[in-house]
Amino acid sequence: MPVVLIDQNSDSDATIVQLSFGDRLGALIDTMRALKDLGLDVSKGSVTTEGAVKQTKFYITRLDTGRKVDDPELLERIRLTIINNLLKYHPESSAQLALGEAFGIQAPGKKLDVDISTRIQVKEDGPKRSLLYVETADRPGLLVDIIKNLADININVESAEIDTEGLVAKDKLYVSYGGAALNSSLSQVLVNCLRYYLRRPETDVDSY
């Protein structure tokens, strides 16, 4: 299964992007070049083997600030760039990725039922922020759409992590409201809002 992980916690100075699928040199070089085209610096990379799976890690920072990536829209562009390169060099992965239909040569043989696959949780993470966990069927622009929905109810996103595992997207967002963690009532409003939106991905946002 193709896996793309974007990790914001393991390194204090860099955003870590981990790809588990394929190890072709051309794919690695192209991916590094594409990341630099996004205004990012790839400070280092590594390739390890776990069983039959090759895991490639890139440590990236913004060229303009020298710091890790904290802009959710840029994180989504990074994710889509890496998946696009994965599909280019490993077209066989297309049938295993939700984005294969948009970017690949073959759509997935099966699609997830959004109602069944969607899980949303809000947990405490100290007095000043909460942890929002969203697991749902993947699609392009998912993280940005989630953040726009949060902004509509005045919830601030401090940082985000994105995992893509085959057809499923698993997002972690650290959120706050008025500089504090979400209370139980607001957490329920948030869950209801996202569940409504994610179950209706074809609905135009401006229509409700």
Side-chain angles (χ1 to χ4, degrees), residues 18 74 103 200:
Q18 179 174 310
L74 183 53
F103 302 124
R200 293 162 176 78

Side-chain angles (χ1 to χ4, degrees), residues 76 79-80 98-99 101-103 137-145 197:
E76 178 68 356
R79 184 178 78 99
L80 296 179
L99 300 184
E101 186 170 10
F103 302 124
D138 192 20
R139 63 178 186 268
L142 177 64
L143 178 67
V144 176
D145 288 342
Y197 174 75

Side-chain angles (χ1 to χ4, degrees), residues 114 139 196-204:
V114 176
R139 63 178 186 268
Y196 176 86
Y197 174 75
L198 293 171
R199 285 180 172 179
R200 293 162 176 78
E202 74 283 354
T203 302
D204 187 342

Side-chain angles (χ1 to χ4, degrees), residues 12 18 34-35 41 46 58 60 107 114 139 165-166 208:
S12 59
Q18 179 174 310
L35 292 173
D41 179 41
S46 64
F58 299 102
I60 59 177
V114 176
R139 63 178 186 268
E165 299 183 12
Y208 64 86

Side-chain angles (χ1 to χ4, degrees), residues 56-149:
T56 305
K57 285 186 180 180
F58 299 102
Y59 292 74
I60 59 177
T61 57
R62 295 184 64 127
L63 280 171
D64 54 354
T65 64
R67 298 183 177 182
K68 65 168 55 182
V69 180
D70 55 7
D71 178 3
E73 292 197 18
L74 183 53
L75 287 173
E76 178 68 356
R77 290 174 65 194
I78 292 169
R79 184 178 78 99
L80 296 179
T81 295
I82 290 174
I83 290 176
N84 193 44
N85 273 277
L86 172 63
L87 292 168
K88 176 181 177 182
Y89 284 90
H90 294 276
E92 69 276 13
S93 69
S94 179
Q96 297 174 269
L97 287 162
L99 300 184
E101 186 170 10
F103 302 124
I105 59 173
Q106 181 181 356
K110 65 175 183 177
K111 294 185 179 181
L112 295 178
D113 185 314
V114 176
D115 284 345
I116 296 174
S117 64
T118 296
R119 296 181 180 87
I120 305 170
Q121 291 180 307
V122 181
K123 298 181 179 180
E124 293 183 0
D125 191 61
K128 294 187 177 180
R129 69 179 189 178
S130 300
L131 172 61
L132 168 63
Y133 177 79
V134 180
E135 178 178 328
T136 192
D138 192 20
R139 63 178 186 268
L142 177 64
L143 178 67
V144 176
D145 288 342
I146 289 174
I147 290 172
K148 287 178 179 177
N149 275 267

Side-chain angles (χ1 to χ4, degrees), residues 121-134 150 155-161 171-188 190-191:
Q121 291 180 307
V122 181
K123 298 181 179 180
E124 293 183 0
D125 191 61
K128 294 187 177 180
R129 69 179 189 178
S130 300
L131 172 61
L132 168 63
Y133 177 79
V134 180
L150 298 184
I155 291 178
N156 179 55
V157 177
E158 298 181 4
S159 65
E161 295 184 20
D171 296 344
K172 290 182 181 178
L173 301 96
Y174 293 91
V175 298
S176 62
Y177 179 78
L182 277 58
N183 60 33
S184 58
S185 298
L186 187 53
S187 294
Q188 191 59 53
L190 169 57
V191 170

